[in-house]
């Protein structure tokens, strides 16, 4: 049996202050390969904190985080950075593209820390751009793209290293509904092809399109439609 892609056990996170902010108050969560999960909840409920901890960008105050079976408590910052580079893809509301670089090199940079050579990274970037329907735009600068296209480039960058899990924080937050809908279509297509995806969203309609919804409130998971694990998929992407 393969380990879950992601396993959180009683994860707590507090930020120092007077009084400290208890951003996560004991979150346990398991996500299996091939799942597509929406994380919903009001502003300040801890969604982004959860994503940062799942993405190993931040460490929990207590509790355990396992990524593809690896206990992150036992890893040094350097080892965590390597795990992040190889197994996790991020998509954010602000696309974070480098404007002075071509679209292709923005995507190739998604593998910058994974140890691949530039030629290999570019070859993979070509495939990844094609996957998001922008194979013909690699040579252009991001500034010439629409918001929806920029987000597709960011998704291509997240996918280029074939991560075990893609984490998206409000990926449609800066887009109008048509462009946002296209991004959700794209994520659904990636899920159908075997990707494991977690999407944080304020948008109920968007969340309703995903097979599993986890609802957060005040630093806790208050609802999870999950229960039934997804079929182990083949990875075609
Ligand atoms: N670096 C930080 N230092 C102190 N407090 C923080 C920090 N980051 C988040 N918080 C606090 O932790 C709580 C959870 O924040 P978080 O960003 O996870 O919420 P969220 O659910 O993503 O909200 P939103 O929907 O507005 O993005 C909030 O009260 C927030 O103010
Ligand atoms: Mg947030």
């Amino acid at each position: 049996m393969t380990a879950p892609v992601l396993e959180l056990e009683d994860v707590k996170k507090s930020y120092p202050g007077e009084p400290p902010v208890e951003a996560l108050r004991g979150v346990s969560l398991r996500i299996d390969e091939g799942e597509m999960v929406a994380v919903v909840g009001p502003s300040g409920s801890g969604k982004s904190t959860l994503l940062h901890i799942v993405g190993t960008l931040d460490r929990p105050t207590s509790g355990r985080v396992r990524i593809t079976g690896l206990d992150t408590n036992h890893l040094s910052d350097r080892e965590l950075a390597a795990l992040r580079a190889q197994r996790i893809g991020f998509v954010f509301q602000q696309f974070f593209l480098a404007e002075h670089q071509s679209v292709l090199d923005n995507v190739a940079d998604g593998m910058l820390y994974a140890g691949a050579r530039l030629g290999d990274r570019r070859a993979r970037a070509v495939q990844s751009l094609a996957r998001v329907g922008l194979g013909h735009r690699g040579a252009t600068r991001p500034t010439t793209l629409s918001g929806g296209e920029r987000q597709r480039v960011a998704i291509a960058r997240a996918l280029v290293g074939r991560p075990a899990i893609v984490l998206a924080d409000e990926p449609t937050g800066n887009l109008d509904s048509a462009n946002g809908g296209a991004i959700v279509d794209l994520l659904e297509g990636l899920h159908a092809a075997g990707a494991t995806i977690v999407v944080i969203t304020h948008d109920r309609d968007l969340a309703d399109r995903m097979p599993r919804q986890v609802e957060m409130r005040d630093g806790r998971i208050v609802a999870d439609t999950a229960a039934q694990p997804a079929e182990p998929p083949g990875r075609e992407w």
Side-chain angles (χ1 to χ4, degrees):
M1 199 186 90
T2 53
V5 174
L6 172 72
E7 219 174 1
L8 266 61
E9 258 177 55
D10 199 22
V11 165
K12 297 181 181 166
K13 177 71 183 178
S14 57
Y15 292 108
E18 284 300 330
V21 179
E22 308 289 341
L24 297 178
R25 297 168 186 264
V27 170
S28 297
L29 177 68
R30 168 189 166 142
I31 295 177
D32 286 307
E33 189 176 346
E35 281 203 277
M36 183 171 198
V37 183
V39 177
V40 296
S43 184
S45 58
K47 305 182 298 296
S48 293
T49 302
L50 179 69
L51 183 127
H52 280 102
I53 285 176
V54 164
T56 76
L57 295 168
D58 206 354
R59 288 182 188 268
T61 308
S62 68
R64 214 169 273 283
V65 178
R66 286 195 198 85
I67 311 280
T68 58
L70 290 170
D71 188 337
T72 57
N73 281 359
H74 297 149
L75 302 179
S76 66
D77 286 349
R78 207 190 150 108
E79 289 167 328
L80 270 192
L83 176 140
R84 193 158 55 235
Q86 284 161 11
R87 303 188 192 204
I88 302 174
F90 293 96
V91 179
F92 296 100
Q93 179 175 341
Q94 312 83 343
F95 321 123
F96 294 127
L97 301 179
E99 306 291 0
H100 63 280
Q101 281 189 342
S102 69
V103 161
L104 186 75
D105 280 344
N106 266 278
V107 175
D109 272 2
M111 294 177 71
L112 196 55
Y113 303 103
R117 291 209 317 263
L118 181 62
D120 295 337
R121 288 195 276 122
R122 284 194 172 141
R124 290 285 296 279
V126 168
Q127 292 173 4
S128 196
L129 270 178
R131 192 76 190 74
V132 303
L134 290 173
H136 56 302
R137 302 300 294 275
T140 54
R141 296 283 157 104
T143 40
T144 66
L145 302 179
S146 73
E149 287 169 340
R150 286 171 187 229
Q151 192 58 303
R152 279 151 63 192
V153 173
I155 291 171
R157 181 184 53 195
L159 291 172
V160 70
R162 292 206 181 101
I165 190 164
V166 175
L167 304 174
D169 194 347
E170 300 279 5
T172 65
N174 277 348
L175 303 176
D176 61 34
S177 60
N179 275 309
I183 292 299
V184 181
D185 292 343
L186 174 60
L187 293 174
E188 281 181 338
L190 295 170
H191 170 240
T196 307
I197 306 178
V198 178
V199 182
I200 289 181
T201 180
H202 273 101
D203 184 340
R204 266 269 50 128
D205 290 342
L206 194 161
D208 285 345
R209 290 176 56 182
M210 303 198 196
R212 176 178 173 190
Q213 288 114 34
V214 168
E215 186 177 345
M216 295 200 62
R217 203 167 292 259
D218 200 19
R220 289 190 177 88
I221 291 176
V222 294
D224 183 348
T225 62
Q228 71 285 26
E231 291 275 305
R235 280 169 47 144
E236 301 161 16
W237 50 282

